[in-house]
Amino acid sequence: MIQDETIPNNVNLSEDRRLHRALETWQPNFHQWWAEMGPSDFLKDQIYLRTAVSVEPSGWAHFDYVKMPDYRWGIFLAPSLPDKKIGFGDYAGNPVWHEIPGELRNWLRRIVVTQGDTEPASVEQQRRLGHSAPSLYDLRNLFQVNVEEGRHLWAMVYLLHRYFGRDGREEADELLRRRSGNPDKPRILGAFNQPIDNWLDFYMFTMFTDRDGKYQLIALSESGFDPLARTTKFMLTEEAHHMFVGETGIQRIVQRTCELMKQDPNEDARRQGGLDLPTIQKYINFWYSVSADLFGGEISTNAANYFGASLKGRDREAGRSEHSAREETYRIFVVEDGKLVERDVPLRNAMNEVLRDSYIDDCQRACDRWNRVIERASISFRLTLPSRRFNRAVGLYSELRFEPDGTPIPPEDWQRRRSQWLPDDSDREYVRSLMNPVYQPGKIAGWIAPPERGINGKPFDFEYVIFVP
Ligand SMILES: [Fe+2]
Ligand SMILES: [Fe+2]
Protein backbone atom coordinates (compact mmCIF):
# COMPACT_ATOMS: atom_id res chain seq x y z
CA MET A 1 0.00 0.00 0.00
CA ILE A 2 1.32 3.40 -0.95
CA GLN A 3 -0.21 6.19 1.02
CA ASP A 4 0.18 9.85 0.36
CA GLU A 5 -0.22 12.55 3.00
CA THR A 6 -3.26 14.14 1.44
CA ILE A 7 -4.28 12.02 -1.55
CA PRO A 8 -4.00 8.22 -1.12
CA ASN A 9 -2.69 6.76 -4.37
CA ASN A 10 -0.63 4.09 -6.10
CA VAL A 11 0.56 6.31 -8.94
CA ASN A 12 3.66 7.77 -7.27
CA LEU A 13 2.01 11.11 -6.85
CA SER A 14 4.72 12.36 -4.45
CA GLU A 15 7.28 12.03 -7.24
CA ASP A 16 5.38 14.21 -9.67
CA ARG A 17 5.44 17.61 -7.97
CA ARG A 18 3.49 19.48 -10.66
CA LEU A 19 0.71 16.96 -10.83
CA HIS A 20 0.57 16.73 -7.07
CA ARG A 21 0.22 20.50 -6.79
CA ALA A 22 -2.46 20.59 -9.49
CA LEU A 23 -4.52 17.95 -7.70
CA GLU A 24 -4.02 19.65 -4.36
CA THR A 25 -5.45 22.79 -5.92
CA TRP A 26 -8.45 20.87 -7.23
CA GLN A 27 -9.03 19.04 -3.93
CA PRO A 28 -10.58 21.93 -1.92
CA ASN A 29 -12.97 22.58 -4.80
CA PHE A 30 -14.00 18.95 -4.65
CA HIS A 31 -14.62 19.22 -0.90
CA GLN A 32 -16.65 22.34 -1.41
CA TRP A 33 -18.68 20.59 -4.12
CA TRP A 34 -19.27 17.66 -1.73
CA ALA A 35 -20.46 20.02 0.99
CA GLU A 36 -22.86 21.77 -1.40
CA MET A 37 -24.01 18.93 -3.64
CA GLY A 38 -23.19 15.70 -1.78
CA PRO A 39 -25.62 14.04 0.62
CA SER A 40 -27.74 16.63 2.34
CA ASP A 41 -27.02 16.49 6.09
CA PHE A 42 -25.41 13.46 7.77
CA LEU A 43 -22.02 15.15 7.48
CA LYS A 44 -21.26 14.80 11.19
CA ASP A 45 -22.47 11.21 11.46
CA GLN A 46 -20.23 8.16 11.65
CA ILE A 47 -20.86 5.84 8.71
CA TYR A 48 -19.50 2.29 8.52
CA LEU A 49 -17.77 2.65 5.14
CA ARG A 50 -15.39 0.79 2.92
CA THR A 51 -12.38 2.78 1.73
CA ALA A 52 -10.11 1.69 -1.13
CA VAL A 53 -6.55 1.51 0.22
CA SER A 54 -4.75 -0.53 -2.45
CA VAL A 55 -5.49 -2.65 -5.50
CA GLU A 56 -4.48 -5.99 -3.98
CA PRO A 57 -7.29 -8.49 -4.58
CA SER A 58 -6.67 -9.89 -1.10
CA GLY A 59 -7.52 -6.66 0.67
CA TRP A 60 -8.06 -3.50 -1.31
CA ALA A 61 -10.73 -2.23 1.03
CA HIS A 62 -10.70 -1.13 4.62
CA PHE A 63 -13.93 -0.94 6.67
CA ASP A 64 -14.39 1.52 9.48
CA TYR A 65 -16.57 4.33 10.80
CA VAL A 66 -15.90 7.55 8.90
CA LYS A 67 -17.52 10.93 8.68
CA MET A 68 -18.23 11.39 4.99
CA PRO A 69 -16.29 14.67 4.61
CA ASP A 70 -13.25 12.84 6.07
CA TYR A 71 -13.45 10.00 3.55
CA ARG A 72 -10.03 9.43 1.96
CA TRP A 73 -10.77 9.69 -1.75
CA GLY A 74 -7.78 8.27 -3.56
CA ILE A 75 -6.34 7.42 -6.95
CA PHE A 76 -5.84 3.73 -7.66
CA LEU A 77 -4.99 2.05 -10.93
CA ALA A 78 -4.93 -1.71 -11.42
CA PRO A 79 -1.31 -2.89 -11.85
CA SER A 80 0.28 -2.50 -15.26
CA LEU A 81 1.08 -5.79 -16.93
CA PRO A 82 4.50 -6.20 -18.58
CA ASP A 83 4.46 -6.38 -22.39
CA LYS A 84 0.75 -5.73 -22.53
CA LYS A 85 -0.61 -5.54 -26.09
CA ILE A 86 -3.64 -3.73 -27.50
CA GLY A 87 -6.45 -6.25 -27.87
CA PHE A 88 -8.69 -4.88 -30.64
CA GLY A 89 -9.20 -2.32 -33.40
CA ASP A 90 -6.69 -0.96 -35.89
CA TYR A 91 -3.83 -1.03 -33.36
CA ALA A 92 -4.44 -4.60 -32.16
CA GLY A 93 -1.16 -6.33 -31.37
CA ASN A 94 0.79 -3.10 -30.78
CA PRO A 95 2.10 -2.35 -27.29
CA VAL A 96 -0.45 -0.43 -25.18
CA TRP A 97 0.04 3.34 -24.95
CA HIS A 98 1.31 4.88 -21.73
CA GLU A 99 0.93 8.38 -23.10
CA ILE A 100 -1.84 9.66 -25.37
CA PRO A 101 -1.21 9.41 -29.10
CA GLY A 102 -1.62 13.02 -30.31
CA GLU A 103 -4.18 12.22 -33.01
CA LEU A 104 -6.47 10.42 -30.53
CA ARG A 105 -6.38 13.09 -27.89
CA ASN A 106 -9.72 14.74 -28.60
CA TRP A 107 -11.65 11.50 -28.75
CA LEU A 108 -10.04 10.32 -25.55
CA ARG A 109 -10.79 13.53 -23.75
CA ARG A 110 -14.42 13.27 -24.75
CA ILE A 111 -14.57 9.68 -23.46
CA VAL A 112 -12.98 10.60 -20.12
CA VAL A 113 -15.11 13.72 -19.63
CA THR A 114 -18.36 11.92 -20.47
CA GLN A 115 -17.58 9.09 -18.06
CA GLY A 116 -16.32 11.54 -15.41
CA ASP A 117 -19.46 13.66 -15.61
CA THR A 118 -21.75 10.78 -14.62
CA GLU A 119 -19.93 10.19 -11.33
CA PRO A 120 -20.69 13.47 -9.51
CA ALA A 121 -24.03 13.66 -11.33
CA SER A 122 -25.36 10.56 -9.59
CA VAL A 123 -24.28 11.89 -6.19
CA GLU A 124 -26.22 15.09 -6.91
CA GLN A 125 -29.29 13.17 -8.03
CA GLN A 126 -29.32 11.09 -4.84
CA ARG A 127 -28.51 13.80 -2.35
CA ARG A 128 -31.87 13.84 -0.55
CA LEU A 129 -32.37 10.10 -0.21
CA GLY A 130 -30.72 9.96 3.21
CA HIS A 131 -33.87 11.42 4.72
CA SER A 132 -36.05 8.44 3.85
CA ALA A 133 -33.94 5.24 3.97
CA PRO A 134 -35.83 2.05 4.88
CA SER A 135 -33.07 0.93 7.28
CA LEU A 136 -29.62 1.86 8.58
CA TYR A 137 -28.17 -0.86 6.37
CA ASP A 138 -29.66 0.82 3.30
CA LEU A 139 -28.65 4.27 4.47
CA ARG A 140 -25.07 3.07 4.79
CA ASN A 141 -25.18 1.50 1.31
CA LEU A 142 -26.42 4.77 -0.17
CA PHE A 143 -23.51 6.66 1.34
CA GLN A 144 -21.09 3.95 0.24
CA VAL A 145 -22.27 4.35 -3.34
CA ASN A 146 -22.03 8.13 -3.02
CA VAL A 147 -18.45 8.26 -1.70
CA GLU A 148 -17.32 5.76 -4.32
CA GLU A 149 -18.87 7.79 -7.12
CA GLY A 150 -16.86 10.63 -5.64
CA ARG A 151 -13.74 8.48 -5.92
CA HIS A 152 -14.58 7.65 -9.52
CA LEU A 153 -14.65 11.35 -10.19
CA TRP A 154 -11.13 11.51 -8.73
CA ALA A 155 -10.09 8.67 -11.03
CA MET A 156 -11.18 10.60 -14.12
CA VAL A 157 -9.79 13.89 -12.82
CA TYR A 158 -6.43 12.22 -12.33
CA LEU A 159 -6.40 11.23 -16.01
CA LEU A 160 -7.40 14.74 -17.07
CA HIS A 161 -4.68 16.39 -14.96
CA ARG A 162 -1.97 13.89 -15.72
CA TYR A 163 -2.43 13.41 -19.46
CA PHE A 164 -4.35 16.34 -20.94
CA GLY A 165 -2.44 19.42 -19.81
CA ARG A 166 -4.22 22.70 -19.57
CA ASP A 167 -7.50 21.74 -21.23
CA GLY A 168 -7.58 18.70 -18.95
CA ARG A 169 -7.39 20.96 -15.91
CA GLU A 170 -10.19 23.09 -17.30
CA GLU A 171 -12.34 20.03 -17.91
CA ALA A 172 -11.68 18.89 -14.34
CA ASP A 173 -12.97 22.22 -13.06
CA GLU A 174 -16.03 21.98 -15.29
CA LEU A 175 -16.86 18.58 -13.80
CA LEU A 176 -17.48 20.41 -10.51
CA ARG A 177 -19.40 23.27 -12.14
CA ARG A 178 -22.08 21.37 -14.01
CA ARG A 179 -25.04 20.42 -11.84
CA SER A 180 -27.58 17.66 -12.28
CA GLY A 181 -30.87 19.15 -13.48
CA ASN A 182 -29.56 22.69 -13.72
CA PRO A 183 -31.07 24.27 -16.86
CA ASP A 184 -28.01 26.50 -17.44
CA LYS A 185 -25.28 23.98 -16.66
CA PRO A 186 -26.79 20.49 -16.84
CA ARG A 187 -24.91 17.21 -16.67
CA ILE A 188 -23.98 15.81 -20.09
CA LEU A 189 -26.30 12.78 -20.32
CA GLY A 190 -30.09 12.97 -20.03
CA ALA A 191 -30.64 10.25 -17.42
CA PHE A 192 -28.31 12.06 -15.04
CA ASN A 193 -30.43 15.18 -14.84
CA GLN A 194 -33.45 13.59 -13.14
CA PRO A 195 -33.61 13.78 -9.34
CA ILE A 196 -33.87 10.44 -7.58
CA ASP A 197 -36.02 11.17 -4.59
CA ASN A 198 -37.44 7.81 -3.59
CA TRP A 199 -35.84 4.47 -2.81
CA LEU A 200 -37.61 2.50 -5.51
CA ASP A 201 -36.00 4.83 -8.04
CA PHE A 202 -32.67 4.45 -6.21
CA TYR A 203 -32.63 0.65 -6.49
CA MET A 204 -33.76 0.90 -10.10
CA PHE A 205 -31.02 3.42 -10.80
CA THR A 206 -28.29 1.29 -9.21
CA MET A 207 -29.69 -1.80 -10.95
CA PHE A 208 -30.15 -0.40 -14.46
CA THR A 209 -28.34 2.93 -14.82
CA ASP A 210 -25.23 2.05 -12.81
CA ARG A 211 -25.13 -1.16 -14.84
CA ASP A 212 -24.84 0.90 -18.01
CA GLY A 213 -21.84 2.43 -16.20
CA LYS A 214 -20.47 -1.04 -15.56
CA TYR A 215 -20.55 -1.87 -19.27
CA GLN A 216 -19.01 1.45 -20.24
CA LEU A 217 -16.20 0.74 -17.77
CA ILE A 218 -15.80 -2.80 -19.13
CA ALA A 219 -15.46 -1.40 -22.65
CA LEU A 220 -12.93 1.19 -21.47
CA SER A 221 -10.97 -1.35 -19.43
CA GLU A 222 -10.03 -2.87 -22.82
CA SER A 223 -8.63 0.47 -24.03
CA GLY A 224 -5.28 0.73 -25.78
CA PHE A 225 -4.62 3.79 -23.61
CA ASP A 226 -3.37 1.83 -20.62
CA PRO A 227 -3.92 4.36 -17.81
CA LEU A 228 -7.61 4.49 -18.78
CA ALA A 229 -7.79 0.68 -18.95
CA ARG A 230 -6.16 0.32 -15.54
CA THR A 231 -8.21 2.95 -13.74
CA THR A 232 -11.53 1.63 -15.09
CA LYS A 233 -10.51 -1.92 -14.24
CA PHE A 234 -10.17 -0.95 -10.60
CA MET A 235 -13.37 1.12 -10.64
CA LEU A 236 -15.22 -2.04 -11.62
CA THR A 237 -14.35 -3.70 -8.31
CA GLU A 238 -16.20 -0.89 -6.48
CA GLU A 239 -18.98 -0.78 -9.03
CA ALA A 240 -19.85 -4.41 -8.27
CA HIS A 241 -21.26 -3.32 -4.91
CA HIS A 242 -23.46 -0.68 -6.57
CA MET A 243 -24.95 -3.37 -8.84
CA PHE A 244 -25.46 -5.53 -5.76
CA VAL A 245 -27.34 -2.74 -3.97
CA GLY A 246 -29.70 -2.30 -6.92
CA GLU A 247 -30.29 -5.93 -7.79
CA THR A 248 -30.80 -7.14 -4.22
CA GLY A 249 -32.78 -4.01 -3.33
CA ILE A 250 -35.35 -4.86 -6.01
CA GLN A 251 -35.24 -8.52 -4.98
CA ARG A 252 -35.97 -7.58 -1.34
CA ILE A 253 -38.92 -5.45 -2.45
CA VAL A 254 -40.27 -8.29 -4.59
CA GLN A 255 -39.89 -10.68 -1.68
CA ARG A 256 -41.73 -8.39 0.70
CA THR A 257 -44.44 -7.75 -1.88
CA CYS A 258 -45.02 -11.50 -2.19
CA GLU A 259 -45.23 -11.84 1.60
CA LEU A 260 -47.81 -9.04 1.77
CA MET A 261 -49.84 -10.50 -1.09
CA LYS A 262 -50.05 -13.78 0.81
CA GLN A 263 -51.34 -11.94 3.87
CA ASP A 264 -54.15 -10.25 1.96
CA PRO A 265 -57.39 -12.01 0.99
CA ASN A 266 -57.21 -10.41 -2.48
CA GLU A 267 -53.42 -10.65 -2.80
CA ASP A 268 -53.43 -6.83 -2.68
CA ALA A 269 -49.95 -5.74 -1.56
CA ARG A 270 -50.86 -2.05 -1.55
CA ARG A 271 -53.62 -2.65 0.93
CA GLN A 272 -51.01 -4.21 3.19
CA GLY A 273 -48.80 -1.13 2.90
CA GLY A 274 -46.42 -2.47 0.28
CA LEU A 275 -45.60 -2.08 -3.39
CA ASP A 276 -47.56 -4.15 -5.86
CA LEU A 277 -45.89 -6.13 -8.65
CA PRO A 278 -47.50 -4.13 -11.53
CA THR A 279 -46.04 -0.91 -10.09
CA ILE A 280 -42.62 -2.54 -9.80
CA GLN A 281 -43.00 -3.63 -13.44
CA LYS A 282 -43.71 -0.05 -14.51
CA TYR A 283 -40.58 1.19 -12.77
CA ILE A 284 -38.56 -1.55 -14.47
CA ASN A 285 -39.98 -0.47 -17.83
CA PHE A 286 -39.01 3.13 -17.16
CA TRP A 287 -35.48 2.66 -15.81
CA TYR A 288 -34.54 -0.10 -18.21
CA SER A 289 -35.52 2.03 -21.21
CA VAL A 290 -33.87 5.28 -20.09
CA SER A 291 -30.73 3.32 -19.21
CA ALA A 292 -30.69 1.56 -22.59
CA ASP A 293 -30.54 5.05 -24.14
CA LEU A 294 -27.21 5.69 -22.40
CA PHE A 295 -25.44 3.23 -24.70
CA GLY A 296 -26.10 5.61 -27.61
CA GLY A 297 -27.43 5.07 -31.13
CA GLU A 298 -27.66 1.59 -32.66
CA ILE A 299 -25.66 2.72 -35.68
CA SER A 300 -22.95 5.09 -34.61
CA THR A 301 -19.94 6.67 -36.27
CA ASN A 302 -18.48 7.60 -32.88
CA ALA A 303 -18.68 3.99 -31.75
CA ALA A 304 -16.95 2.86 -34.97
CA ASN A 305 -14.25 5.50 -34.53
CA TYR A 306 -13.59 4.61 -30.90
CA PHE A 307 -13.39 0.91 -31.68
CA GLY A 308 -11.24 1.42 -34.78
CA ALA A 309 -8.86 3.64 -32.80
CA SER A 310 -8.53 0.91 -30.14
CA LEU A 311 -9.93 3.25 -27.49
CA LYS A 312 -13.18 1.48 -26.52
CA GLY A 313 -13.57 -2.27 -26.88
CA ARG A 314 -16.20 -4.91 -26.27
CA ASP A 315 -17.20 -6.97 -23.29
CA ARG A 316 -14.78 -9.95 -22.97
CA GLU A 317 -12.79 -8.90 -26.02
CA ALA A 318 -10.08 -11.51 -25.28
CA GLY A 319 -12.61 -14.33 -25.58
CA ARG A 320 -13.59 -13.36 -29.13
CA SER A 321 -11.99 -14.92 -32.17
CA GLU A 322 -11.68 -11.80 -34.30
CA HIS A 323 -10.60 -8.42 -32.92
CA SER A 324 -10.59 -5.97 -35.82
CA ALA A 325 -14.35 -6.12 -36.60
CA ARG A 326 -13.45 -4.80 -40.03
CA GLU A 327 -15.23 -7.31 -42.27
CA GLU A 328 -18.08 -8.55 -40.09
CA THR A 329 -21.63 -7.28 -40.07
CA TYR A 330 -24.32 -7.12 -37.45
CA ARG A 331 -28.00 -7.74 -38.08
CA ILE A 332 -30.30 -5.12 -36.70
CA PHE A 333 -33.90 -3.96 -36.98
CA VAL A 334 -34.00 -0.50 -38.50
CA VAL A 335 -36.96 1.78 -39.12
CA GLU A 336 -37.71 2.42 -42.80
CA ASP A 337 -40.86 4.24 -43.93
CA GLY A 338 -42.27 3.81 -40.46
CA LYS A 339 -41.71 0.03 -40.53
CA LEU A 340 -39.20 -2.31 -38.92
CA VAL A 341 -36.93 -4.10 -41.36
CA GLU A 342 -33.85 -6.22 -40.75
CA ARG A 343 -30.58 -4.90 -42.15
CA ASP A 344 -26.93 -5.88 -41.91
CA VAL A 345 -24.69 -3.02 -40.82
CA PRO A 346 -20.88 -2.94 -40.50
CA LEU A 347 -20.04 -4.39 -37.11
CA ARG A 348 -17.90 -1.44 -36.08
CA ASN A 349 -20.87 0.89 -36.48
CA ALA A 350 -22.96 -1.40 -34.28
CA MET A 351 -20.59 -1.42 -31.29
CA ASN A 352 -23.08 0.40 -29.06
CA GLU A 353 -25.60 -2.32 -29.83
CA VAL A 354 -23.05 -5.06 -29.17
CA LEU A 355 -22.38 -3.60 -25.72
CA ARG A 356 -26.12 -3.17 -25.14
CA ASP A 357 -26.55 -6.90 -25.91
CA SER A 358 -24.21 -7.81 -23.05
CA TYR A 359 -26.06 -5.39 -20.79
CA ILE A 360 -29.44 -6.86 -21.68
CA ASP A 361 -28.24 -10.41 -20.91
CA ASP A 362 -27.00 -9.23 -17.53
CA CYS A 363 -30.32 -7.49 -16.76
CA GLN A 364 -32.25 -10.59 -17.82
CA ARG A 365 -30.21 -12.72 -15.41
CA ALA A 366 -31.25 -10.42 -12.55
CA CYS A 367 -34.88 -10.41 -13.69
CA ASP A 368 -34.88 -14.23 -13.68
CA ARG A 369 -33.70 -14.16 -10.07
CA TRP A 370 -36.54 -11.85 -9.04
CA ASN A 371 -38.98 -14.17 -10.78
CA ARG A 372 -37.67 -17.14 -8.82
CA VAL A 373 -38.68 -15.30 -5.64
CA ILE A 374 -42.20 -14.82 -7.04
CA GLU A 375 -42.34 -18.42 -8.20
CA ARG A 376 -41.31 -19.72 -4.77
CA ALA A 377 -44.24 -17.78 -3.31
CA SER A 378 -46.59 -19.59 -5.74
CA ILE A 379 -47.70 -16.36 -7.40
CA SER A 380 -48.29 -16.50 -11.13
CA PHE A 381 -47.18 -12.94 -12.02
CA ARG A 382 -43.80 -12.65 -13.79
CA LEU A 383 -41.63 -9.55 -14.18
CA THR A 384 -40.23 -8.94 -17.66
CA LEU A 385 -37.74 -6.64 -19.31
CA PRO A 386 -39.43 -4.64 -22.06
CA SER A 387 -38.15 -4.79 -25.61
CA ARG A 388 -35.07 -2.69 -26.32
CA ARG A 389 -37.31 -0.63 -28.62
CA PHE A 390 -39.73 0.39 -25.89
CA ASN A 391 -39.79 4.05 -24.74
CA ARG A 392 -36.50 5.03 -26.33
CA ALA A 393 -35.45 8.67 -26.69
CA VAL A 394 -32.11 7.96 -28.37
CA GLY A 395 -31.32 6.00 -31.52
CA LEU A 396 -33.35 4.35 -34.26
CA TYR A 397 -36.31 3.38 -32.13
CA SER A 398 -36.92 6.87 -30.82
CA GLU A 399 -38.64 7.61 -34.16
CA LEU A 400 -41.54 5.28 -33.46
CA ARG A 401 -43.59 4.18 -30.46
CA PHE A 402 -43.60 0.57 -29.32
CA GLU A 403 -45.45 -1.61 -26.87
CA PRO A 404 -43.34 -3.25 -24.16
CA ASP A 405 -43.10 -6.40 -26.33
CA GLY A 406 -41.59 -4.35 -29.17
CA THR A 407 -44.65 -4.13 -31.45
CA PRO A 408 -44.97 -0.72 -33.14
CA ILE A 409 -48.09 1.27 -32.22
CA PRO A 410 -49.56 4.55 -33.48
CA PRO A 411 -48.67 7.63 -31.38
CA GLU A 412 -52.35 8.07 -30.32
CA ASP A 413 -52.35 4.57 -28.81
CA TRP A 414 -49.10 5.29 -27.05
CA GLN A 415 -50.56 8.43 -25.46
CA ARG A 416 -53.64 6.55 -24.38
CA ARG A 417 -51.84 3.53 -22.95
CA ARG A 418 -48.54 4.80 -21.64
CA SER A 419 -49.73 4.98 -18.02
CA GLN A 420 -50.40 1.21 -18.21
CA TRP A 421 -46.70 0.76 -18.87
CA LEU A 422 -44.88 3.61 -17.19
CA PRO A 423 -45.27 5.13 -13.72
CA ASP A 424 -47.81 7.94 -13.69
CA ASP A 425 -48.40 10.65 -11.11
CA SER A 426 -50.58 8.47 -8.93
CA ASP A 427 -47.94 5.70 -8.86
CA ARG A 428 -45.28 8.21 -7.94
CA GLU A 429 -47.52 9.67 -5.29
CA TYR A 430 -48.11 6.23 -3.80
CA VAL A 431 -44.40 5.33 -3.82
CA ARG A 432 -43.62 8.64 -2.16
CA SER A 433 -46.17 7.93 0.58
CA LEU A 434 -44.16 4.86 1.63
CA MET A 435 -40.87 6.69 2.01
CA ASN A 436 -40.54 7.14 5.74
CA PRO A 437 -37.13 6.74 7.38
CA VAL A 438 -36.53 3.81 9.72
CA TYR A 439 -33.36 4.48 11.68
CA GLN A 440 -33.32 2.05 14.63
CA PRO A 441 -30.71 -0.70 14.25
CA GLY A 442 -32.34 -3.97 13.15
CA LYS A 443 -35.63 -2.30 12.10
CA ILE A 444 -36.87 -1.95 8.55
CA ALA A 445 -39.70 -0.29 6.61
CA GLY A 446 -42.73 -2.43 5.83
CA TRP A 447 -42.42 -2.41 2.03
CA ILE A 448 -39.03 -4.13 1.77
CA ALA A 449 -37.52 -7.30 3.24
CA PRO A 450 -34.27 -7.19 5.24
CA PRO A 451 -31.12 -8.38 3.42
CA GLU A 452 -29.96 -11.97 3.78
CA ARG A 453 -26.76 -10.77 5.37
CA GLY A 454 -25.13 -7.54 6.42
CA ILE A 455 -22.01 -5.73 5.27
CA ASN A 456 -18.49 -7.11 5.84
CA GLY A 457 -19.77 -10.03 7.91
CA LYS A 458 -21.76 -7.77 10.26
CA PRO A 459 -25.37 -8.67 11.07
CA PHE A 460 -28.34 -6.70 9.73
CA ASP A 461 -28.93 -5.15 13.16
CA PHE A 462 -25.40 -3.71 13.31
CA GLU A 463 -25.34 0.05 13.87
CA TYR A 464 -24.19 0.97 10.35
CA VAL A 465 -24.72 4.66 10.99
CA ILE A 466 -24.11 6.38 14.32
CA PHE A 467 -25.94 9.69 14.47
CA VAL A 468 -23.95 12.47 16.12
CA PRO A 469 -26.20 15.21 17.52
FE1 LIG B 1 -19.00 5.17 -10.73
FE1 LIG C 1 -21.69 3.25 -9.54
Side-chain angles (χ1 to χ4, degrees):
M1 170 170 110
I2 305 153
Q3 282 284 17
D4 183 83
E5 292 285 300
T6 50
I7 306 166
N9 71 92
N10 71 347
V11 293
N12 282 338
L13 208 48
S14 57
E15 278 164 35
D16 189 337
R17 288 268 127 229
R18 270 186 57 175
L19 175 62
H20 197 176
R21 230 173 307 134
L23 286 169
E24 274 186 337
T25 312
W26 186 81
Q27 189 176 36
N29 299 335
F30 170 83
H31 281 287
Q32 197 192 333
W33 166 81
W34 184 269
E36 277 172 31
M37 296 309 294
S40 106
D41 298 328
F42 306 99
L43 298 184
K44 289 180 300 184
D45 301 325
Q46 298 282 350
I47 327 284
Y48 187 70
L49 289 177
R50 163 178 94 170
T51 304
V53 291
S54 83
V55 294
E56 300 304 318
S58 55
W60 58 269
H62 172 79
F63 284 85
D64 205 352
Y65 284 106
V66 198
K67 284 192 265 181
M68 278 188 280
D70 299 341
Y71 191 78
R72 287 172 65 77
W73 284 280
I75 299 163
F76 296 98
L77 274 59
S80 71
L81 305 171
D83 304 321
K84 189 174 167 195
K85 300 283 193 291
I86 297 175
F88 66 95
D90 291 343
Y91 300 93
N94 291 4
V96 293
W97 304 303
H98 298 287
E99 296 291 333
I100 294 174
E103 68 276 18
L104 303 181
R105 189 189 159 90
N106 286 344
W107 284 347
L108 256 176
R109 191 180 61 206
R110 185 145 152 215
I111 289 172
V112 171
V113 167
T114 309
Q115 178 62 41
D117 194 65
T118 65
E119 312 288 356
S122 66
V123 176
E124 294 168 357
Q125 288 173 286
Q126 296 165 12
R127 65 186 305 263
R128 301 203 178 275
L129 282 173
H131 298 286
S132 58
S135 75
L136 286 186
Y137 164 91
D138 291 283
L139 184 63
R140 175 263 169 218
N141 282 348
L142 166 72
F143 294 150
Q144 184 69 60
V145 170
N146 293 159
V147 293
E148 284 174 347
E149 302 303 7
R151 204 201 67 75
H152 295 171
L153 172 60
W154 272 92
M156 293 298 119
V157 164
Y158 162 74
L159 293 179
L160 289 169
H161 276 252
R162 166 69 181 76
Y163 296 98
F164 292 88
R166 189 204 181 114
D167 39 335
R169 291 193 291 279
E170 280 165 13
E171 293 285 9
D173 291 342
E174 284 300 303
L175 287 171
L176 295 177
R177 285 200 197 110
R178 284 187 288 271
R179 293 281 189 271
S180 176
N182 184 312
D184 301 322
K185 273 203 153 287
R187 290 295 174 182
I188 295 170
L189 300 170
F192 290 88
N193 284 301
Q194 301 292 330
I196 294 170
D197 53 15
N198 72 68
W199 280 75
L200 182 57
D201 280 331
F202 174 65
Y203 298 124
M204 293 285 168
F205 181 95
T206 39
M207 167 68 210
F208 292 111
T209 308
D210 252 347
R211 197 173 304 270
D212 154 71
K214 169 183 163 181
Y215 281 88
Q216 301 304 328
L217 294 177
I218 284 175
L220 296 177
S221 71
E222 301 282 344
S223 184
F225 178 49
D226 204 42
L228 177 61
R230 290 165 54 205
T231 197
T232 47
K233 187 149 228 121
F234 184 65
M235 287 159 78
L236 281 164
T237 58
E238 293 166 306
E239 208 61 58
H241 177 68
H242 309 183
M243 312 288 100
F244 165 87
V245 168
E247 182 178 334
T248 59
I250 295 171
Q251 183 163 332
R252 290 160 52 209
I253 295 173
V254 168
Q255 188 188 327
R256 183 64 181 151
T257 296
C258 292
E259 288 164 14
L260 294 172
M261 286 171 75
K262 289 291 161 191
Q263 287 168 24
D264 189 87
N266 301 313
E267 294 204 336
D268 185 344
R270 277 201 191 194
R271 249 193 42 180
Q272 300 295 323
L275 284 157
D276 52 299
L277 292 171
T279 301
I280 297 170
Q281 179 66 60
K282 286 185 184 182
Y283 276 76
I284 290 173
N285 292 347
F286 176 75
W287 283 102
Y288 177 77
S289 55
V290 298
S291 304
D293 274 341
L294 292 170
F295 287 81
E298 287 71 18
I299 302 174
S300 160
T301 312
N302 274 341
N305 288 340
Y306 295 166
F307 187 89
S310 304
L311 293 178
K312 191 175 170 189
R314 287 172 289 187
D315 182 22
R316 286 162 295 189
E317 188 65 55
R320 296 174 190 262
S321 50
E322 209 284 330
H323 301 292
S324 80
R326 229 183 255 117
E327 309 297 335
E328 290 164 88
T329 57
Y330 183 94
R331 179 152 290 194
I332 204 169
F333 276 108
V334 302
V335 179
E336 281 178 12
D337 299 328
K339 289 205 176 61
L340 284 175
V341 278
E342 273 194 301
R343 289 278 178 264
D344 287 325
V345 300
L347 179 56
R348 282 191 177 185
N349 290 82
M351 283 303 168
N352 289 339
E353 196 64 358
V354 170
L355 198 59
R356 194 161 18 229
D357 285 339
S358 301
Y359 169 79
I360 291 173
D361 289 347
D362 196 5
C363 291
Q364 186 60 53
R365 180 201 46 75
C367 189
D368 293 344
R369 284 189 139 187
W370 304 330
N371 279 332
R372 280 200 287 279
V373 174
I374 305 175
E375 205 179 332
R376 275 200 297 272
S378 307
I379 291 166
S380 58
F381 192 100
R382 292 292 177 268
L383 295 165
T384 52
L385 298 180
S387 158
R388 69 178 77 203
R389 298 192 284 275
F390 175 75
N391 191 39
R392 294 287 302 279
V394 170
L396 298 174
Y397 309 124
S398 61
E399 296 169 27
L400 291 183
R401 297 283 92 188
F402 298 90
E403 293 188 36
D405 71 1
T407 314
I409 48 164
E412 318 82 81
D413 289 8
W414 168 262
Q415 278 315 328
R416 197 164 43 79
R417 296 174 66 192
R418 61 175 292 163
S419 68
Q420 294 171 19
W421 300 323
L422 293 169
D424 61 13
D425 288 346
S426 73
D427 295 318
R428 292 185 192 287
E429 191 49 50
Y430 180 69
V431 171
R432 207 172 305 135
S433 75
L434 298 180
M435 297 296 133
N436 300 308
V438 178
Y439 289 163
Q440 298 86 33
K443 295 274 189 310
I444 189 155
W447 51 271
I448 185 168
E452 276 166 28
R453 57 190 74 84
I455 292 296
N456 193 33
K458 304 280 185 233
F460 172 64
D461 62 7
F462 181 72
E463 199 169 2
Y464 289 103
V465 176
I466 300 174
F467 298 107
V468 177

